[in-house]
Amino acid sequence: MLKRQQPTFSEVNLSEHDGVRYLHLGTEWVQGSMRIDAPFEIDLEYVQRMMAWLLFVPEDSVAGRHAMQLGLGAGAITKFCYKKLRMTCTAVELNPRVADVCRAWLRLPPDDERLRVVLADAAEEIRRDEWLGTVDALAVDLYDDEAAAPVLDSAAFYADCRRLLTEDGCMTVNLFGRSSSFERSLACISEAFGAQAVWAFKATREGNTVVLAQRSATRPKRPLLQQRAEEIEARWGLPARKWLKVFKAIEK
């Protein structure tokens, strides 16, 4: 009888520079960060942009919605949604050491009635019936140790992601890596969601491109997006007005 092979998990380590604590998976590549004097704010620009789904929902409807993060990283999205937005939060992470380090060194709160960390393979977990149609804000940031390309990046995977979402739910995806292909990834997302439902930012200076896909395509008028951006900035401190200069639907 063959023994089932146990998964091998990457080493998890931390570094600090200029008041910021960085998470690494055994390499110099940054997998997440936390400002030590502001642990529940979002430090990295591309991670801030993954909150652009806030532009598509009324501000007063945010608290109590459900946020899911695939790939915990330093936990920035889950912490922000839990502490600042008062959402119910689920994070799916394969490596238990990442969750342990996030709790010990990156101020991730313990599980409670609004926060749950699920140790599982994201591709398998999101097919479970309990999650279907329950997620308002899905953040996908799944990378290998070298941050070379997304680990899950197929039309079938993005179709599974779409099935998680509520009618006005959104998925945001970080596309980055020297072995990745933005055009291929965008085509897969468009196949799963429909091109009319897909929006994209310009790349950050570091090369991260955040793509947003809506469960149900809408095209809010510019004045409404401007109003919501101002509300987001005033209430939660995210640079949402700047987003509108570098964020647009991929099809007119």
Side-chain angles (χ1 to χ4, degrees), residues 45-185:
E45 182 180 31
Y46 90 84
V47 184
Q48 293 174 346
R49 291 180 176 186
M50 293 185 76
M51 305 303 296
W53 61 268
L54 288 166
L55 293 166
F56 295 89
V57 296
E59 175 190 9
D60 291 339
S61 75
V62 171
R65 285 179 179 262
H66 181 201
M68 178 178 279
Q69 181 175 3
L70 304 183
L72 183 59
I77 290 172
T78 294
K79 290 188 299 179
F80 188 87
C81 290
Y82 177 78
K83 282 284 190 179
K84 300 290 185 177
L85 303 185
R86 309 302 300 167
M87 298 175 74
T88 296
C89 298
T90 306
V92 182
E93 172 56 50
L94 184 63
N95 187 341
R97 297 172 189 165
V98 170
D100 290 344
V101 168
C102 280
R103 291 206 164 105
W105 295 99
L106 296 165
R107 298 291 297 277
L108 180 69
D111 281 11
D112 63 16
E113 68 280 357
R114 281 200 303 114
L115 174 62
R116 180 179 171 193
V117 176
V118 179
L119 297 174
D121 183 313
E124 296 174 5
E125 185 64 25
I126 63 174
R127 294 195 193 106
R128 290 168 56 92
D129 288 346
E130 68 176 291
W131 303 122
L132 301 184
T134 71
V135 179
D136 297 290
L138 176 67
V140 181
D141 197 6
L142 295 162
Y143 279 80
D144 58 21
D145 301 355
E146 300 283 344
V151 173
L152 298 171
D153 189 39
S154 67
F157 167 69
Y158 292 124
D160 287 339
C161 288
R162 186 176 185 271
R163 284 189 281 270
L164 294 176
L165 297 177
T166 57
E167 276 305 307
D168 64 350
C170 293
M171 172 187 76
T172 50
V173 183
N174 172 37
L175 297 177
F176 173 78
R178 61 191 180 279
S179 301
S180 67
S181 165
F182 173 74
E183 294 301 331
R184 184 184 66 236
S185 298

Side-chain angles (χ1 to χ4, degrees), residues 5-22:
Q5 201 169 16
Q6 293 297 311
T8 56
F9 296 114
S10 304
E11 175 189 354
V12 181
N13 50 327
L14 299 165
S15 64
E16 289 183 17
H17 176 71
D18 200 21
V20 179
R21 185 169 292 158
Y22 297 96

